[in-house]
Amino acid sequence: KCSAVEYSTIETAVLSGQKSYQLDEYAANADCGTTASFLTFDNGRLWVGTYQNLMSQKGSLKSYKVVSDEEGVNLKLDGEYVIPSYANGVNFTDVNGRKCMTVVSSLGRYVNSKVYLYEVIEDKITGRNLFRYHGDYTFPPMAEEITSDGNNLYFLFESSATCYSTISLRKCSY
């Protein structure tokens, strides 16, 4: 499930001054139809990704329209896409007037991460997204998350990656 928490609840928790705040209920829970590994919001849609499907050995990225009504929040599946396996994050951003998607994937502390770049193109007939692959790049192990401000991509690397370990013989070559 994907759960929503209202900003006012977060504000109340912060202003309470407590070290821990008990959340009694979510503003909404919506079935996202998968075991979510990461999510992001772009263009009025919630994007939910999985790390890997055991059968296909690929990840998946599902797009949902968020529908709010008197019964709460519901997610309407809008599209499902195959993405590289071991995906840990996705980002959408506009670059020079083009919509781009970046997927980051990582498998363990001794295997380099990969960053995959795509251009998002609208299919003129169906109106659905098409993703044109632009290439992939090698990054240090354990890239976990990615975001962008439109000019730069920002990566979060898990702190236990070999690049950041104290054993000099086990550090990666970056």
Side-chain angles (χ1 to χ4, degrees), residues 35-151:
T35 303
S37 297
F38 55 90
L39 51 83
T40 193
F41 195 86
D42 181 70
N43 197 29
R45 290 173 174 78
L46 182 66
W47 295 82
V48 180
T50 64
Y51 186 71
Q52 181 183 43
N53 177 301
L54 295 176
M55 300 297 286
S56 70
Q57 300 295 305
K58 294 286 185 183
S60 72
L61 184 63
K62 294 181 180 181
S63 167
Y64 296 92
K65 289 183 181 177
V66 179
V67 180
S68 298
D69 57 27
E70 56 278 345
E71 295 180 17
V73 173
N74 292 297
L75 301 178
K76 182 181 176 195
L77 184 63
D78 187 48
E80 185 170 2
Y81 309 92
V82 173
I83 59 173
S85 60
Y86 313 118
N88 290 312
V90 66
N91 179 72
F92 293 92
T93 193
D94 291 315
V95 178
N96 299 324
R98 298 179 313 170
K99 176 68 103 182
C100 296
M101 179 179 79
T102 309
V103 176
V104 62
S105 70
S106 175
L107 174 63
R109 59 183 317 167
Y110 301 109
V111 178
N112 289 330
S113 300
K114 288 280 192 177
V115 176
Y116 300 86
L117 302 177
Y118 302 86
E119 183 177 359
V120 183
I121 303 167
E122 182 182 334
D123 184 315
K124 300 297 182 192
I125 297 171
T126 65
R128 300 178 68 75
N129 287 327
L130 300 174
F131 298 94
R132 184 167 53 190
Y133 176 72
H134 277 273
D136 59 81
Y137 302 90
T138 301
F139 273 64
M142 300 187 87
E144 291 290 311
E145 232 359 288
I146 187 170
T147 193
S148 172
D149 63 8
N151 294 311

